[in-house]
Amino acid sequence: MKTARAWQLGIKDMLIMSGSRQRPHLKRPIWIIVLVSLVSICLIGAYIYPPRSSAACYVFSSRDCSIYEQPIHVPSRELTDDETAAQVVIREILKTPPVHSKNPKIAFMFLTPGSLPFEKLWDRFFHGHEDRFTVYVHASSEKPVHVSRYFIGRDIRSEKVIWGKISMVDAEKRLLGHALEDPNNQHFVLLSDSCVPLHNFDYVYNYLMFTNISYIDCFEDPGPHGNGRYSDHMMPEVEVKDFRKGAQWFSMKRQHAIIVMADSLYYTKFKLYCRPGMEGRNCYADEHYLPTLFNMIDPTGIANWSVTHVDWSEGKWHPKAYRAQDVSYELLRNITVRSSSYPSIQFYFSRITCNSALVLDIVVTMAGY
Ligand SMILES: *[C@@H]1O[C@H](CO)[C@@H](O)[C@H](O)[C@H]1NC(C)=O
Ligand SMILES: *[C@@H]1O[C@H](CO)[C@@H](O)[C@H](O)[C@H]1NC(C)=O
Ligand SMILES: *[C@@H]1O[C@H](CO)[C@@H](O)[C@H](O)[C@H]1NC(C)=O
């Protein structure tokens, strides 16, 4: 908005400047013809291209120009009732400052088919920090057997999750819904059975609490696995220019989690029109819904990258899958320190059965707990 204002001021300054510049000394009749034709060209121009900026409005038109004083991101088309309602609610939630809890906690939300292979590792991670976290487990195919006291009794009601379908987003929303019931939960981290922490608890806690933005992976992919999955049926609410992609594993602040609960308009668009086999293409709502939603409603409130390390460098449909023999101290060390600008605080093994005892040894040595 600031840049829009500056730009408009710039235009006004330019108009004033050109007005005060010395006119060339032409002979009067030519001067008049030139002036008249210039004015009529301008008027025709203004007629064909109605003024968009306030400066142009004041110069060219006698209409009420105050509508142009609004921020430029106000869409030019007329919003539907549902859109107006959604935008009002979302704007109010974003404007409401977070309630400061005396005992802020982080919700660790595990989305898993069944038992968690790294539960012992997480037990070591949580130990000694009992008042600063909560655990929620959504087991979508079989009842998990828990070995850690931090996980016992933490299963929430679950439903079947089919990979790539909206049921994945539904499970994420179910986890968020349960975790939001505890008013102390300020940050919500989505994890899978294949995730391991790369740092100790204090590091992760401080990192998320003190930056208090959401770490949602979000980028524009013009190729077939990005915009190629977009369907025109999402119009007019979601245009292709808004369509984004990102890995599913997010960490979200409370305000944003509430917005996900409140949204049904954009969610429904993705439920209906971003699914496998849509118009002969495969669209996966879990990779597009949240990045697109937050890119549209609060682009500066998200980091655009995720704190979960996922390796897309192979450019395939799925991220790089690490096998048990790939896992070494060196690999995890590399991922932990890879880039100081995009630090990973947890690591996602792409659906592999790992040697969990080996990973436990490595991570405990590295993170020191
Ligand atoms: C985080 O919250 C504090 C208050 O708790 C606020 O002052 C700060 O601006 C917030 N930071 C971000 C990045 O929103
Ligand atoms: C994320 O991307 C959006 C749009 O591309 C940008 O406006 C925003 O500043 C980015 N967020 C951060 C934290 O840089
Ligand atoms: C770790 O990083 C170094 C330097 O970039 C690289 O040479 C090495 O192959 C990496 N090791 C693993 C296991 O990824």
Side-chain angles (χ1 to χ4, degrees):
M1 206 168 122
K2 258 190 194 137
T3 53
R5 281 276 148 77
W7 183 80
Q8 287 173 5
L9 282 177
I11 294 284
K12 275 179 187 148
D13 288 345
M14 265 164 54
L15 290 173
I16 291 163
M17 271 169 52
S18 57
S20 63
R21 226 188 271 154
Q22 284 285 308
R23 289 208 178 88
H25 295 282
L26 297 172
K27 277 188 193 149
R28 183 157 296 223
I30 301 172
W31 184 86
I32 290 172
I33 293 167
V34 170
L35 186 66
V36 166
S37 53
L38 264 181
V39 166
S40 44
I41 288 169
C42 290
L43 287 180
I44 291 166
Y47 181 74
I48 298 173
Y49 305 103
R52 286 289 164 93
S53 76
S54 62
C57 179
Y58 287 120
V59 171
F60 290 126
S61 142
S62 59
R63 282 182 297 155
D64 177 10
C65 290
S66 59
I67 54 161
Y68 294 109
E69 292 298 333
Q70 288 166 5
I72 49 158
H73 63 255
V74 170
S76 48
R77 67 186 169 82
E78 200 165 62
L79 300 184
T80 63
D81 289 349
D82 285 347
E83 258 178 313
T84 307
Q87 295 199 3
V88 163
V89 170
I90 289 170
R91 221 176 291 135
E92 282 302 310
I93 297 173
L94 288 175
K95 270 199 308 198
T96 312
V99 178
H100 286 288
S101 141
K102 281 207 192 74
N103 184 22
K105 292 181 182 177
I106 292 178
F108 291 85
M109 312 183 301
F110 290 86
L111 188 54
T112 173
S115 295
L116 295 155
F118 298 122
E119 210 172 290
K120 275 201 186 120
L121 177 55
W122 285 103
D123 184 272
R124 296 276 286 269
F125 172 82
F126 289 134
H127 182 74
H129 306 284
E130 284 72 8
D131 54 346
R132 292 197 288 164
F133 70 89
T134 47
V135 168
Y136 302 86
V137 180
H138 183 290
S140 52
S141 55
E142 58 188 62
K143 192 164 168 47
V145 179
H146 293 302
V147 292
S148 159
R149 62 188 156 136
Y150 303 123
F151 289 78
I152 291 168
R154 304 305 300 171
D155 295 332
I156 67 162
R157 191 189 72 79
S158 63
E159 272 179 33
K160 202 165 177 223
V161 170
I162 297 166
W163 185 84
K165 294 212 173 162
I166 197 73
S167 55
M168 187 76 94
V169 175
D170 293 339
E172 294 173 6
K173 289 178 73 169
R174 204 170 291 127
L175 279 162
L176 281 173
H178 278 82
L180 277 164
E181 283 178 3
D182 183 339
N184 288 323
N185 285 333
Q186 298 299 307
H187 223 95
F188 304 78
V189 186
L190 183 69
L191 300 146
S192 87
D193 51 318
S194 306
C195 287
V196 295
L198 290 173
H199 292 275
N200 65 28
F201 186 88
D202 280 326
Y203 183 96
V204 172
Y205 183 90
N206 293 336
Y207 195 94
L208 296 179
M209 283 299 179
F210 294 110
T211 50
N212 66 13
I213 59 168
S214 294
Y215 293 90
I216 296 170
D217 192 23
C218 175
F219 58 95
E220 202 175 346
D221 176 356
H225 304 327
N227 288 0
R229 297 174 177 176
Y230 173 83
S231 158
D232 283 339
H233 286 99
M234 291 192 191
M235 295 264 269
E237 292 91 343
V238 182
E239 294 176 45
V240 69
K241 70 174 172 53
D242 301 318
F243 199 64
R244 292 292 183 280
K245 183 179 177 178
Q248 171 189 15
W249 310 107
F250 62 76
S251 126
M252 198 181 277
K253 58 180 182 175
R254 191 171 179 94
Q255 213 180 27
H256 284 165
I258 294 172
I259 290 175
V260 174
M261 292 294 100
D263 173 46
S264 90
L265 173 72
Y266 300 104
Y267 165 81
T268 306
K269 284 272 153 173
F270 280 85
K271 179 177 179 166
L272 296 177
Y273 308 119
C274 178
R275 52 186 166 80
M278 175 72 200
E279 294 168 335
R281 287 164 299 182
N282 291 323
C283 186
Y284 306 109
D286 59 276
E287 287 180 3
H288 296 282
Y289 167 54
L290 293 178
T292 306
L293 175 70
F294 285 100
N295 172 60
M296 288 173 70
I297 61 158
D298 193 15
T300 56
I302 60 170
N304 298 321
W305 48 275
S306 163
V307 287
T308 306
H309 173 83
V310 177
D311 188 348
W312 289 99
S313 64
E314 293 178 338
K316 295 194 186 147
W317 282 58
H318 302 293
K320 180 177 164 64
Y322 294 94
R323 290 154 302 155
Q325 63 262 38
D326 296 330
V327 177
S328 64
Y329 182 85
E330 198 190 341
L331 173 75
L332 292 187
R333 188 80 229 159
N334 271 6
I335 290 162
T336 311
V337 297
R338 176 163 294 166
S339 153
S340 50
S341 49
Y342 303 121
S344 299
I345 61 174
Q346 68 208 7
F347 178 54
Y348 170 63
F349 295 99
S350 206
R351 299 245 176 276
I352 43 156
T353 26
C354 271
N355 179 344
S356 61
L358 171 71
V359 175
L360 187 135
D361 272 358
I362 294 170
V363 174
V364 168
T365 315
M366 196 174 64
Y369 49 82

